Amino acid sequence: MAKAKKQTKAVQDFSKYIRWFWMLFIGGFASLILAFLLTSIFGDLPDHTVLENPKTHLATEIISSDGNTLGKFYLKDNRTPVSYDQLPQNLVDALIATEDARFHEHSGIDGIGTLRAFAFLGTRGGASTISQQLAKLLFTEKASGNIVKRVLQKMKEWIIAIRLERQYTKEEIIAQYFNIYDFGNNADGIRSASRIYFGKEPIELDIKESAMLVGMCQNSSFYNPRPHRNPVGVKNRRNVVLGQMYKYDYIDEKLKDSLQKTELDLDYSPESHREGIATYFRGYLDGFMKDWIKKNPKPDGTKYNLYNDGLKIYTTIDSRMQTYAEDAVQQHMPRLQAEFFNQNTPQRNPTAPFLDLDQSEINGLMKRSMRQSERWRHMKYDLKKSNEEIEESFQKPTQMSVFAWKDGKPSEIDTIMKPIDSMRYYKTFLRTGMMSMDPQTGHVKAWVGGMNYRHFQYDMVKQGKRQVGSTFKPFVYTAAIDQLHYSPCDEFPDTPFCIEKNKFGNPEEWCPRNSNGENDYGGTRTLKNALANSVNTITARLVDKVGPQTVVDLVEKLGVESELLPVPAIALGVAEISVYEMVGAYSTFANQGVYTKPVMVTSIEDKNGTLLYQFKPETRDVLSAETAYVSVKLMEGVTQSGNGARLRGKGRDAYRADYREVITGYPYEFTNPIAGKTGTTQNQSDGWFMGMVPNLVTGVWVGGEERSVHFKSITYGQGAAMALPIWGIYMKSCYADEELNISKADFVEPKNLSIRVDCSQIDYSDAKEDQEEETPDDLDF
């Protein structure tokens, strides 16, 4: 009897548990339905079209002619999407193993994971599937406040995740997840992350690199691999991902153990607007695109957004040649700068870095620079400060990072300095501009507007214009060949020469002299020898015969848009012209007399690949093929017997006790035909070299920001010492890369050539060598 009572009581107790179970189940189910209803009613859920086109900002991508990304335009999101087939399998495996092992088995919500999360209150892992995480990234914000809001957010994520699963394939969800995730350090999306952290495309990622990036998906702010952030934590997290890949049989134990012992091996390459490759070109391109956008609206009439619309800009820049050009600048400029600092110590030059100026002139120069500075503009127009307040601010010490060459590389020094002193400090640095172009197509292959875009943003390729010196002389010679049918072998007396007053509107008699004055005359010279040695008097004779207006007309047809005054002195290069214009003009010689306008952008596409713009070549016949060829043969003399002849030999290695190497001694040993011209302006303020081979024309300028910043002597201040080495280093790298196919052949000789170009049988030994751009035997320090 007692036993029966106990059994009855047990049944009653069990029935109680069953009732409670069904009450909880029904109540939970009802709550779930209510939550879904509340979410649908009170929450903003994306409709079908939003799911098809999630509102993500896509960076505009700048693509080189050889298919590499030069950089991007973006304000907030540096994101360029990739498709699933552009992801390596090990990356996908790492994500699934770590974040959602049953990804291929559920339809947006993992029931097993959800029950586990409820049962253990999240202590044994969360329940968010990859689809839910994508929903959160795309359409929901982090919930804050009471538990009701967090529950509603979770419900919203579930609904969106289910919709995503219905709308997209599993592969598309994986790709969207990787494209949308922010990996930190401007690495928005997997493509930016793989490029920034490892310098490669996503498909090239190996297992440990994929594991590191997937590990960052837990919290990219905390798991930041950069030095001085959390590289140890990132490595530990990466090893957890490798452990998960082993757990789910994506890798074996031996591989897991070996990879967990390796370092992160980052190749950190930030993609900011002031860092990376071709920064000055990208600065030019920013302006180009803004002008294009103004003139080319979308089909609906709205404007394209350069920073959000995911445009693709296909450029002519070759990433390999751009790298060689930047390397050439960074090899040469630190050595040249070191010698400039050596010569401009306060002991040797009390007004350093300025020469030929007294203190009042220096004060005036610095005041003008103050008023032209960004600091002045900001305080004057944004902060509405008075001139007196602004000038006082330039005298207050401020913490700043300034540019410096360190061990031959660009660097920064943290210091405290008055802004006025920092301005003077920056004026001590020599600047450079360089552009390289295919003369037949007009495609610009390399563009280096300076040494470091972060600290020197003024572009010396297209923005900056400087006196061109003797690099202008070939235009005068070409005008004489074109108008008078002169030959490079025609001889002229090497004697003083004057153009009388009032001729060509000249206000007074003009009598240019050669660099060594009365001691620099004698005998006769061929035109080829005169150009090779930059003989001023013979150039003056030629401009007297053809007239300065004829020369100006020719130069304008060659694409030079800078203002040119038709005065005799223009023959010696007093005009201020950009590197961009000079390269375009010289390219006409190499292109058999046809001017081709420089091209930087070949096409523009929208994010869907629709063609929006395609360039049309702009060409015009300027010279006959014969005149162009004869001019080229003239300029070949510069590299055969003139100052450019140092390109042919091993160079001259000269040393001094307190300095490492004299920068005029680079070994080039070129043997192929090269046409070109060096240029040096008055007081050595500007050094130029224009160099040509049949399929590549390159111009280089070097000088100070101010014309009063220059070398005292011509030893270092001439174009052959300041600019030519950059050309030589660059071309050696280009020739070493055989895939570029840079020509070593002769320039194309036109049919029925009637002008004599072979002057090898002429004896002009009685003509004294001009020293305008020659390095003296005794080094003048």
Side-chain angles (χ1 to χ4, degrees), residues 477-486 550 554 622-624 627 755:
Y477 282 66
T478 299
I481 294 167
D482 186 52
Q483 297 291 314
L484 305 174
H485 220 59
Y486 279 156
T550 300
L554 170 63
V622 178
L623 302 168
S624 67
T627 298
I755 299 176

Side-chain angles (χ1 to χ4, degrees), residues 49-213:
T49 58
V50 175
L51 287 173
E52 280 290 328
N53 299 285
K55 292 183 179 180
T56 56
H57 293 166
L58 302 181
T60 290
E61 187 175 9
I62 307 165
I63 303 170
S64 70
S65 61
D66 55 322
N68 291 319
T69 299
L70 295 174
K72 299 177 185 178
F73 292 124
Y74 62 91
L75 289 179
K76 181 181 179 183
D77 296 338
N78 177 23
R79 180 176 289 104
T80 303
V82 296
S83 59
Y84 181 81
D85 59 9
Q86 293 174 289
L87 301 175
Q89 188 60 46
N90 58 63
L91 182 70
V92 176
D93 293 343
L95 181 67
I96 293 175
T98 307
E99 298 293 336
D100 191 354
R102 285 176 290 278
F103 176 68
H104 289 290
E105 301 167 13
H106 62 68
S107 298
I109 300 174
D110 182 2
I112 297 174
T114 301
L115 289 175
R116 185 191 65 232
F118 277 124
F120 297 98
L121 301 178
T123 58
R124 296 190 181 181
S128 288
T129 64
I130 293 173
S131 302
Q132 286 176 252
Q133 293 181 43
L134 177 59
K136 185 175 182 180
L137 290 171
L138 283 172
F139 302 113
T140 62
E141 299 178 355
K142 185 176 180 180
S144 59
N146 58 50
I147 191 171
V148 174
K149 289 185 177 180
R150 291 197 291 271
V151 170
L152 287 176
Q153 184 200 35
K154 184 59 66 176
M155 297 301 103
K156 187 186 293 186
E157 288 175 16
W158 284 355
I159 296 173
I160 298 172
I162 293 172
R163 289 188 180 183
L164 287 172
E165 290 274 354
R166 290 177 179 175
Q167 192 67 36
Y168 299 104
T169 66
K170 292 287 187 179
E171 290 76 14
E172 289 172 329
I173 289 172
I174 289 283
Q176 283 198 52
Y177 178 84
F178 277 121
N179 284 328
I180 203 68
Y181 191 78
D182 180 0
F183 291 87
N185 299 310
N186 291 324
D188 299 298
I190 190 62
R191 184 156 187 261
S192 294
S194 60
R195 287 174 52 82
I196 288 174
Y197 293 121
F198 297 109
K200 57 177 65 173
E201 294 298 318
I203 196 67
E204 300 169 327
L205 293 169
D206 61 27
I207 295 176
K208 72 172 188 177
E209 293 165 346
S210 294
M212 189 204 88
L213 293 174

Side-chain angles (χ1 to χ4, degrees), residues 734-748:
C734 288
Y735 280 130
D737 189 337
E738 296 181 358
E739 292 184 358
L740 296 176
N741 294 316
I742 305 302
S743 175
K744 291 186 177 181
D746 291 317
F747 290 88
V748 178

Side-chain angles (χ1 to χ4, degrees), residues 120 145 149 253 273 276-277 325 414 461 471 505 660 741 751 753:
F120 297 98
K149 289 185 177 180
E253 186 174 15
H273 302 303
I277 191 174
D414 293 328
V461 168
T471 56
R660 294 161 296 287
N741 294 316
K751 296 179 179 179
L753 182 66

Side-chain angles (χ1 to χ4, degrees), residues 336 339 343 355 470 514-516 533-534 536 643 646 652 662-664 678-688 710-723 770-781:
L336 185 69
E339 183 55 31
Q343 294 186 22
L355 291 168
S470 294
N514 294 336
S515 62
N516 286 350
N533 291 282
S534 285
N536 291 337
N643 207 7
R646 65 188 66 197
R652 178 166 62 93
V662 171
I663 43 72
T664 55
T678 54
T680 309
T681 62
Q682 188 175 18
N683 296 327
Q684 301 79 241
S685 293
D686 305 275
W688 289 79
H710 57 81
F711 282 103
K712 186 175 183 179
S713 77
I714 206 168
T715 302
Y716 295 96
Q718 60 181 305
M722 290 210 294
D770 190 85
Q771 298 294 314
E772 181 192 10
E773 293 176 350
E774 293 282 54
T775 302
D777 292 333
D778 55 325
L779 296 179
D780 179 13
F781 295 108

Side-chain angles (χ1 to χ4, degrees), residues 269-402:
S269 305
E271 287 188 346
S272 72
H273 302 303
R274 297 185 179 184
E275 296 174 293
I277 191 174
T279 47
Y280 290 92
F281 173 73
R282 285 188 271 142
Y284 156 78
L285 197 58
D286 181 88
F288 173 91
M289 287 301 299
K290 287 175 180 176
D291 288 340
W292 180 85
I293 286 171
K294 287 179 183 177
K295 302 172 185 176
N296 298 273
K298 294 180 181 179
D300 63 3
T302 60
K303 290 184 177 181
Y304 288 100
N305 190 308
L306 180 61
Y307 306 105
N308 296 337
D309 281 349
L311 302 176
K312 291 187 183 296
I313 308 169
Y314 293 90
T315 73
T316 62
I317 297 294
D318 187 293
S319 66
R320 298 159 296 181
M321 297 173 74
Q322 180 69 30
T323 298
Y324 300 150
E326 293 181 10
D327 287 347
V329 167
Q330 292 194 12
Q331 283 187 53
H332 176 65
M333 292 305 293
R335 288 184 273 188
L336 185 69
Q337 189 68 51
E339 183 55 31
F340 185 79
F341 284 148
N342 180 71
Q343 294 186 22
N344 279 277
T345 62
Q347 294 74 26
R348 294 187 176 193
N349 177 20
T351 61
F354 309 106
L355 291 168
D356 313 317
L357 297 183
D358 59 33
Q359 194 56 51
S360 63
E361 291 173 316
I362 294 173
N363 292 341
L365 184 153
M366 294 302 297
K367 191 164 186 176
R368 286 195 301 274
S369 296
M370 264 196 298
R371 291 175 177 267
Q372 294 168 357
S373 69
E374 178 61 23
R375 182 186 184 87
W376 185 284
R377 188 209 63 77
H378 173 64
M379 295 186 71
K380 180 76 173 178
Y381 300 105
D382 296 340
L383 303 182
K384 308 300 182 184
K385 300 291 185 180
S386 67
N387 291 354
E388 292 74 16
E389 289 177 307
I390 301 173
E391 289 185 11
E392 288 177 5
S393 75
F394 276 86
Q395 303 298 329
K396 295 178 180 179
T398 304
Q399 188 170 358
M400 62 181 72
S401 294
V402 296

